Amino acid sequence: MKAFFEVLEQLYRKVLLGATLENDSHDYIFYLNPAFLDQDCSTTTSSDCSNILDVQGKHQPSSVNLATPSVAPVCLQRHFQMNSTREIMLLQLTVIKVMMTRILSVETELHAKEKYRDIIKILLKSSDIDSKLTCMFQNSDKLLSHMAAKCLALLLYFQLKEKITLSNSWISFCQKNLSEYSESDKVVHCLWMLTFVIKEIFKDTCSQKTEILKQFLTPFDTIFEVFYNSLFSQHFENHQDTSKLINSLICFLELLELLIASRIHLKLHFTCQRMLFLKPSCVFDVITWPIQAFVKRKFIIFIKKCLLCKVGEDLCRGSVPTFMAPDHPLDVDLLALADAVLQAVDLGFLRTLSVYGKPSCFGGDEVQPGCECVPGPDHVILRAASLLIIRSLEIKFQNGASANEMKVDLQRFMSELLTFLKPHLQPSLRSHNLCEWLSRVFIEQDDDMLEAAKTAMGIYLKLTRECEATESLTQEKEMWNHHTHENGYNPHCIFLFLLKNIGFDSTVLLDFLISSETCFLEYFVRYLKLLQKDWDNFFSICKYFDITESKDNVNICCCISSLVQDRSSNQTEPSSLAVLGNHRDAHAWVSWASEASSEPLNHAVMSEEAQATLQANSLSPQRTSQSLVDYETSDDSEEESTDQRLANSRLTSLHQEAMKKIQDTIGTSRDKKELSLESQSRSLVPKESNTPFSVDCDIGPNNIASKVGISYRTVKCFEELQGAIYRLQKKNLFPYNPTALLKLLKHIETIYNRSMTPL
């Protein structure tokens, strides 16, 4: 046995290094053939071990001399033989696994790879290794069981690649154990091996992986559906040992994700790939079970990835295409899943979610003695639930619905979502602008945040097209504008909150544009196109942001409304964002605010002056944007500095003019403390016509906030982004052609400059 082990060990070292084997292939089969893998090691007797070694000794190749074990009393040899037998079994499995890995590796030398392939083919033909390994992974020894399952999975994948017919014994074994759910470990082993093989097919770079997967799934298409119904019909409360059920759920969920991914990315069409879409309620039932929070989290994330068509992305080699070819059957199934999500929300799905729990950390969820556990919500659940709802709404709206139906659904489900989110967001959402919810919920997850922003904009554009076709009156458009803010999906507010969160840093936007891990490019291009058409609405919202920021992010309407209500019980306070539709609406809101009380507005003016001074310092022309380009020479650096100064000159002139007016305003306010309400109103929004409510009234260049406020900082950020993209493109460092994007950014700058130029 010792000599046998030593030969195996030498073989293992050679294969591990990828060395070419010199002997005849059949000689190695003797050492790799698992002659005793069908026996449970824990019950193997000493006589069994001796018989095994005798058989191997009689059939060993003549070129190899194996020493036979010395005769000794059975009572002294039994423990040693059992341990030695186990070690040999493990080493045999390890050599097979490493040899299979070497065959599949592109780094293995061709001649050595051919030798390994020949050995494995002979092993498959000369011994019933599939059946032996199938028996082996039912062993009570967990390590042996795991190694046998892994070896069998690799051999199955090898047979698929080499177009060798799969073992009937293994297929029958899986079909039998998956025909109905049982608490046996065999179910988990079958699911694990099926999942492993499909993962290997996904990771393969060959062009025939679709045909390989089709061959593999064909025997299991019907049986998967049977197991789906059996597993999800279980009653969690009736199971004494719930760990086996949880293991089966997790393993099957992973397999289900791969089946759906193969439909999306490999364009296969099996019934088993549609199980979730045909019977989605089964999966939602699991989330309502009294089961551990991590299981619910996995299921919610799984449904989210299905709705976003993101399943299996981590397994696809290379970049996943942003735009996929139309797939009508898949669209129908996604609509069915979206309807199931919205129906579950109607039935109180959000109220069943366990948002609070132990924090999930790399080191576990147990808090050490003496350490404080900071309570807080599970933001993974909050993000997933939010995306579930808004993505489901978008899918439903894309598949045909009237404008009124969409408005009703949007108001109902967004109200449900915001009610669910508000208790978990600290500090709480400000009622004057509910669009902030998106940036607050997704602040820690860039990819989900951008998916949510893109989805919200998709809903907005769909409703806008429908409303433009049916509504023409100004009053109806103002109501529609109010609807976007009230339900938290106005794209301008969402984008401005995103910019505020990143500090208007163009380098962050550049990182997003270069990264292939988010959908920012698609979202950004769509938003810039919207911004070109909807500049007036954007500018009005920027005015509102400037005014609210002037009181250190505290809405001045809250202060004013109490004073207004004290003066007249019949007068009601208008919603602060309901009147924002164009420049005229911004005038109306500020005029109303100025008439309400002079004291809060005085404070607002002074706060705005102070804020403008701070913004002026941060936007000083001496501030240069951080470059992402490594310069080859100092001349390049000087050239960039010159280009940057020239590029900044247009906005800098406006900035300097604004600074002068700020200083003049501050000096005047010190001398004139008793400023009239009318002059205060003009200091915020200058009047260019006889009435502030004139439709033709526009915000002129004398407005301080329009030059150093949100709109200025946004355009400044875009201009810096233009410069960075241009420099990278000039060095051939930008990953794609940005010409169209640069044109959009340039056009936005032109629109801004035109709006700032006096008529």
Side-chain angles (χ1 to χ4, degrees), residues 74 117 166 173 280 315 351 369 403 484 500 546 565 613 615:
V74 172
R117 183 182 284 112
L166 295 179
F173 176 82
L315 294 173
R351 291 187 290 274
T484 65
K500 287 180 66 178
D546 293 335
Q565 290 173 0
T613 304
Q615 290 176 355

Side-chain angles (χ1 to χ4, degrees), residues 173-383:
F173 176 82
C174 286
Q175 290 176 336
K176 177 183 177 182
N177 285 284
L178 295 179
S179 60
E180 61 177 353
Y181 171 75
S182 67
E183 294 189 354
S184 170
D185 290 334
K186 297 177 183 178
V187 171
V188 176
H189 287 309
C190 290
L191 294 174
W192 184 88
M193 279 189 293
L194 290 164
T195 301
F196 182 90
V197 174
I198 296 176
K199 280 184 177 180
E200 290 299 315
I201 295 173
F202 256 102
K203 291 187 290 185
D204 200 343
T205 56
C206 74
S207 59
Q208 299 179 340
K209 60 170 131 185
T210 301
E211 290 75 17
I212 293 174
L213 185 58
K214 184 177 181 180
Q215 177 191 349
F216 182 66
L217 291 180
T218 300
F220 303 105
D221 188 25
T222 305
I223 207 68
F224 283 157
E225 188 175 3
V226 173
F227 185 75
Y228 180 92
N229 295 328
S230 175
L231 177 63
F232 290 115
S233 63
Q234 299 297 310
H235 296 283
F236 187 77
E237 301 86 352
N238 298 338
H239 288 262
Q240 293 182 349
D241 184 6
T242 58
S243 62
K244 293 184 181 296
L245 177 59
I246 291 174
N247 286 339
S248 298
L249 283 171
I250 298 300
C251 289
F252 188 67
L253 188 66
E254 190 174 6
L255 175 62
L256 194 59
E257 181 176 346
L258 290 172
L259 292 174
I260 297 172
S262 66
R263 178 184 182 183
I264 296 173
H265 300 293
L266 301 182
K267 305 303 179 184
L268 281 175
H269 298 283
F270 283 98
T271 305
C272 61
Q273 297 169 310
R274 301 186 61 210
M275 294 182 295
L276 170 68
F277 307 104
L278 295 174
K279 297 180 180 179
S281 59
C282 296
V283 176
F284 283 99
D285 288 342
V286 174
I287 299 174
T288 63
W289 288 358
I291 202 169
Q292 282 90 332
F294 82 92
V295 179
K296 295 185 178 184
R297 187 188 298 116
K298 278 184 173 291
F299 272 81
I300 294 172
I301 293 174
F302 165 67
I303 299 171
K304 178 201 75 173
K305 290 166 73 174
C306 290
L307 287 172
L308 295 173
C309 293
K310 297 290 185 182
V311 285
E313 276 195 345
D314 53 336
L315 294 173
C316 296
R317 295 291 178 93
S319 60
V320 178
T322 305
F323 301 100
M324 295 186 179
D327 188 345
H328 180 67
L330 180 61
D331 293 339
V332 172
D333 285 346
L334 287 175
L335 178 59
L337 182 58
D339 286 337
V341 171
L342 298 178
Q343 184 180 359
V345 173
D346 262 339
L347 297 175
F349 167 72
L350 293 178
R351 291 187 290 274
T352 66
L353 294 181
S354 177
V355 178
Y356 288 99
K358 293 181 178 180
S360 298
C361 306
F362 286 111
D365 58 5
E366 296 297 330
V367 180
Q368 296 297 322
C371 298
E372 294 185 2
C373 177
V374 180
D378 185 345
H379 284 274
V380 175
I381 294 290
L382 296 183
R383 289 192 294 267

